[in-house]
Amino acid sequence: MNPEVKKRRTFAIVSHPDAGKTTMTEKFLWYGQVIREAGHVRAKANRSHTVSDWMQIEQQRGISVSSSVLNFPFESCQFNLVDTPGHQDFCEDTYRALTAVDSALVLIDSVNGVEVQTIKLMEVCRMRKTPIITFINKMDLEGKNVLELLDEIEDILQIKVCPFTLPIGVGKLFKGIYDIQDHSFHTFNKAENKQEIIQMTGPNDPKLVEICGENWVELFLEQYEMVTEGMEAFDHEQYLQGKMSPVFFGSAVNNFGVRQLLNAFATLAPPPIPRESDLRVIDPSEEEFSAFVFKIQANMDPKHRDRTAFLRICSGAFTRGSKTYHCRTGREIRLATPTAFLAKDKEIIDHAWAGDIVGVNDPGFFNIGDTLTQGEKFNFTGIPDFAPEFFARVVLANPLKSKQMNKGLAQLSEEGATQLYQPLNFPQPVIGVVGELQFDVLKFRLSSEYGAEVHLERMPSYGIRWILGGEKEKKSFSAEHIMDCMTDKENRLVCLFPNEYRLNLAIKNYSALEFSKTSPANE
Ligand code: G4P
């Protein structure tokens, strides 16, 4: 494998909101010397200075809405961190982000243990057999018992755990972590914000008692025995298959245990892995360039109204200005200004390799899931599409702004988070989302980025179905269900059934038609 590809580590952080993902990201960037000060993440309402959040609504709400991509070097590796929104209403964005990575970091809050959002996201990781490294954060707080936490991870997240470190003490009496691999003890000293690494002869080294006190060491020894004798030893192969996770303990906000974690990514996490396509498996070491679009984002930079498509490079290398083949349209395109990301700051790059994530300017040409190659025709598979569950009619407050609204709706729906429909019988467009909070985001962005104030009138719905079949049958169906029928952005007929009864009746009366839960192109 090309040494440039071999040193790539492309990963995402999976966690429940508040577990410390933003804090951890900042520490990573600090280690990567990308930012000079990994400033303390302040109160959520005032987060404008955190590097990885750029959208205003994120700052107002204190949630991370869109996933950003950050590149940073560490030791001999080049890291690509795909940040993901933690809020459940944006999970589809997170699912897509997980298709673009080779491994993941699961962050768990030691006080709350395994939380619901982590469970959901881990399901996706399990499905994709993503290798997982776990970090149990906030060890400076009175958290749950260590063994209890490990049990929880094994039971709830259904993955074997293998602690690489163990904490001694907890909360205010947190003394530090013992490294099971090399028998060193890392002291935690919050007041002086300094860390010492003391080499021990083993867990029974008397120095440990001197530093931590007899009671804490006694408890630690019990845990050490349980972990080293009662649990399966670390098996790298099982880790790569997503069956076993190395576990680390620490405190992100105190920058404690973060370096060990990054080291673990450098040594254990896989370089770019092979990717499946509808034609064959594409190996990262292949010479020919290939990539897919996993995210589209409009208006990242309010100063320049732009749209960026995020590409995950799967094989070969990519040079600025080179021509690529766009498999969906069969067109040849030149990717002129590929950018690497440090959240707000974009940097134009000349070369990128398999494993890298780059942004390219999108003149409205790309769709999520699009494949780019050097001429071979295939499509990468496994990029999920989600049927929306909540619907609203978009009503414009100022009729003079209809051009702005239409442009905004079209562009924002192409990002993939919202879907746009045109009812057959009403002039106002309808949007569908997977999570309700996306309504607020859409409303906010239409106003702040496009200058169009809208009201959203929620529509009762049981489910949306794509109506497939002969033109004649479809015509008679839509004539009968004109109030509920709409077209999607590809001009395909859909019906928003208000209740289960109406859906069942339609299925019974129109047996020649198929009522598909997902859009046909994405099945
Ligand atoms: P998120 O992105 O996963 O939502 O979490 P974020 O990093 O914003 O962290 C959530 C809160 O947890 C923050 O507190 C942050 O300071 C705190 N935190 C992160 N890591 C640790 C840790 O190791 N120990 C402790 N005690 N706290 C940690 P906040 O109340 O939102 O902000 P602030 O008042 O602390 O600035």
Side-chain angles (χ1 to χ4, degrees):
M1 190 183 274
N2 180 308
E4 281 297 336
V5 177
K6 210 171 164 183
K7 71 181 193 188
R8 260 60 192 173
R9 298 287 181 277
T10 304
F11 73 108
I13 303 182
V14 162
S15 65
H16 193 83
D18 265 353
K21 195 175 56 170
T22 314
T23 315
M24 183 62 94
T25 305
E26 293 218 337
K27 303 297 174 194
F28 282 170
L29 295 178
W30 181 77
Y31 275 109
Q33 301 191 333
V34 180
I35 52 174
R36 238 171 287 140
E37 249 175 80
H40 193 87
V41 180
R42 270 189 238 129
K44 294 245 158 174
N46 177 25
R47 297 172 58 152
S48 55
H49 64 297
T50 65
V51 189
S52 60
D53 280 353
W54 65 68
M55 277 168 60
Q56 249 174 308
I57 189 157
E58 295 186 328
Q59 292 156 14
Q60 285 191 348
R61 289 247 184 172
I63 51 168
S64 191
V65 177
S66 64
S67 19
S68 54
V69 181
L70 302 163
N71 317 112
F72 62 93
F74 178 74
E75 300 287 337
S76 56
C77 288
Q78 186 62 35
F79 284 83
N80 290 298
L81 167 57
V82 183
D83 190 16
T84 49
H87 195 284
Q88 58 171 6
D89 283 8
F90 301 93
C91 59
E92 45 163 342
D93 208 10
T94 305
Y95 291 154
R96 286 204 198 95
L98 288 174
T99 65
V101 300
D102 301 305
S103 66
L105 165 65
V106 171
L107 256 191
I108 288 173
D109 182 326
S110 72
V111 180
N112 298 329
V114 175
E115 292 169 272
V116 54
Q117 197 54 21
T118 314
I119 300 173
K120 281 198 201 159
L121 295 171
M122 259 305 280
E123 276 167 21
V124 182
C125 293
R126 233 189 345 266
M127 215 165 67
R128 301 184 54 82
K129 300 194 174 73
T130 310
I132 298 293
I133 293 181
T134 305
F135 185 85
I136 300 185
N137 191 27
K138 307 196 185 180
M139 289 310 295
D140 58 318
L141 301 180
E142 300 286 335
K144 292 190 179 180
N145 175 287
V146 169
L147 295 178
E148 202 183 308
L149 280 166
L150 294 173
D151 269 355
E152 235 182 81
I153 299 170
E154 283 210 335
D155 287 353
I156 303 177
L157 299 184
Q158 293 171 39
I159 189 163
K160 288 185 221 170
V161 291
C162 181
F164 273 45
T165 62
L166 271 180
I168 303 186
V170 70
K172 286 199 180 69
L173 298 173
F174 178 45
K175 309 288 182 188
I177 49 171
Y178 186 89
D179 188 323
I180 298 175
Q181 308 287 309
D182 69 3
H183 298 288
S184 59
F185 181 68
H186 301 232
T187 61
F188 177 74
N189 186 339
K190 189 174 175 175
E192 291 173 33
N193 192 19
K194 80 173 189 220
Q195 198 187 132
E196 246 186 288
I197 301 177
I198 302 166
Q199 189 57 50
M200 298 288 165
T201 51
N204 292 308
D205 193 318
K207 279 201 291 271
L208 214 50
V209 179
E210 272 169 42
I211 301 167
C212 305
E214 211 164 321
N215 290 348
W216 286 120
V217 173
E218 209 171 291
L219 183 65
F220 156 71
L221 285 173
E222 264 172 45
Q223 292 167 347
Y224 181 86
E225 202 179 296
M226 287 286 286
V227 165
T228 51
E229 288 169 27
M231 286 178 168
E232 216 176 305
F234 181 65
D235 174 0
H236 196 232
E237 217 24 64
Q238 286 199 48
Y239 159 68
L240 292 178
Q241 290 162 5
K243 292 182 183 156
M244 181 183 267
S245 173
V247 179
F248 294 82
F249 292 84
S251 166
V253 81
N254 293 297
N255 199 359
F256 188 75
V258 178
R259 179 178 265 280
Q260 288 91 328
L261 182 64
L262 271 177
N263 271 326
F265 266 97
T267 51
L268 304 174
I273 52 172
R275 304 253 147 195
E276 285 187 21
S277 79
D278 54 3
L279 186 68
R280 59 188 184 84
V281 173
I282 314 299
D283 196 90
S285 56
E286 287 182 27
E287 292 228 331
E288 298 230 319
F289 166 82
S290 69
F292 67 88
V293 177
F294 72 95
K295 177 181 167 69
I296 291 174
Q297 171 134 25
N299 307 333
M300 274 168 54
D301 181 353
K303 278 180 267 156
H304 312 273
R305 294 275 174 227
D306 60 352
R307 240 167 75 119
T308 302
F310 289 80
L311 301 180
R312 151 78 200 216
I313 304 178
C314 301
S315 68
F318 161 78
T319 313
R320 179 174 164 194
S322 59
K323 282 186 185 153
T324 61
Y325 176 72
H326 184 248
C327 294
R328 181 168 53 84
T329 57
R331 274 168 61 181
E332 200 169 70
I333 49 170
R334 193 185 290 277
L335 303 177
T337 47
T339 41
F341 287 93
L342 174 58
K344 248 185 225 155
D345 303 323
K346 293 196 274 181
E347 182 193 331
I348 294 178
I349 48 166
D350 292 324
H351 293 284
W353 304 87
D356 279 340
I357 283 161
V358 293
V360 292
N361 181 36
D362 174 19
F365 180 71
F366 292 112
N367 281 353
I368 287 169
D370 279 359
T371 297
L372 295 170
T373 67
Q374 240 169 281
E376 194 177 351
K377 196 168 168 64
F378 60 78
N379 285 297
F380 286 104
T381 50
I383 299 129
D385 197 68
F386 298 90
E389 287 171 26
F390 304 98
F391 297 85
R393 212 182 288 286
V394 188
V395 183
L396 190 59
N398 175 357
L400 294 175
K401 295 275 183 186
S402 77
K403 216 168 130 190
Q404 285 86 337
M405 178 189 78
N406 289 336
K407 184 172 172 208
L409 282 175
Q411 291 196 349
L412 297 178
S413 69
E414 276 160 20
E415 287 183 12
T418 48
Q419 294 193 12
L420 183 61
Y421 305 95
Q422 187 54 54
L424 297 190
N425 210 27
F426 296 95
Q428 290 98 350
V430 166
I431 51 163
V433 298
V434 177
E436 287 188 279
L437 200 52
Q438 276 170 358
F439 282 139
D440 295 352
V441 173
L442 183 98
K443 212 171 144 183
F444 179 89
R445 291 187 65 185
L446 278 177
S447 149
S448 76
E449 294 169 22
Y450 298 90
E453 300 285 340
V454 299
H455 308 295
L456 297 177
E457 284 174 7
R458 295 291 301 273
M459 299 165 77
S461 77
Y462 170 72
I464 190 161
R465 295 290 184 275
W466 275 259
I467 314 298
L468 312 175
E471 284 310 313
K472 203 168 136 232
E473 285 86 4
K474 284 204 288 193
K475 217 166 178 179
S476 81
F477 174 85
S478 60
E480 191 191 329
H481 296 82
I482 188 92
M483 301 295 277
D484 301 326
C485 277
M486 316 187 283
T487 50
D488 71 2
K489 64 178 190 296
E490 313 286 345
N491 213 17
R492 291 173 300 210
L493 184 66
V494 297
C495 183
L496 187 58
F497 288 99
N499 54 47
E500 192 177 2
Y501 171 76
R502 293 269 284 276
L503 171 65
N504 288 338
L505 196 65
I507 294 173
K508 195 168 139 231
N509 290 346
Y510 289 87
S511 54
L513 291 174
E514 191 192 327
F515 297 83
S516 168
K517 272 187 174 177
T518 51
S519 59
N522 302 311
E523 278 178 331

